[in-house]
Amino acid sequence: QAQLVESGGGSVQDGGSMRLSCASSGYTGYTYSKLCMGWFRQAPGKEREGVAAISSDGSTSYADPVKGRFTVSRDNAKNTLYLQMNSLKPEDSAMYYCGAARSLCALAQSGYNYWGQGTQVTVSS
């Protein structure tokens, strides 16, 4: 059974930076490098939303609120996904989740087959 474990969350002040990681394993029948990997976030009282995704060929996509501030990357040798977050704002505060998709690579959570448990990011003003 696949396991995805996020880390790197915490508290930071407005304008600060943070790097999230998502280490994963156990994709029975699938190769990590062939999976689409994505970051999602969910703030209290709000729906989970897509933040960034990276396909098997390295193509990336970002939600409009984070474009130019966040960078998604992956290290296939380590089965690890990253999210570098710069110029953080209080509205970026949320639980951040990583997900893996076997086929469609988009920012819609319905396309993802595997999920981590999340890591909390809090940005104070």
Side-chain angles (χ1 to χ4, degrees), residues 92-115:
D92 294 318
S93 297
M95 185 71 79
Y96 282 71
Y97 300 88
C98 66
R102 295 194 293 258
S103 54
L104 181 67
C105 197
L107 293 177
Q109 61 172 324
S110 61
Y112 287 73
N113 308 101
Y114 312 99
W115 292 96

Side-chain angles (χ1 to χ4, degrees), residues 20 37-42 48-53 83 94-100 106-112 115:
L20 304 183
M37 300 300 297
W39 285 102
F40 292 76
R41 66 186 182 186
Q42 186 169 19
R48 188 176 298 189
E49 62 177 0
V51 174
L83 185 67
M95 185 71 79
Y96 282 71
Y97 300 88
C98 66
L107 293 177
Q109 61 172 324
S110 61
Y112 287 73
W115 292 96

Side-chain angles (χ1 to χ4, degrees), residues 51-73:
V51 174
I54 183 166
S55 68
S56 58
D57 67 2
S59 299
T60 58
S61 58
Y62 297 93
D64 287 343
V66 308
K67 283 181 180 177
R69 300 188 298 123
F70 289 13
T71 302
V72 61
S73 61

Side-chain angles (χ1 to χ4, degrees), residues 6-7 14 16 18-19 41 55 59 88 90 94 107 109 118 122 125:
E6 301 92 338
S7 62
D14 192 353
M18 189 175 288
R19 189 193 197 202
R41 66 186 182 186
S55 68
S59 299
L88 282 162
L107 293 177
Q109 61 172 324
T122 302
S125 57

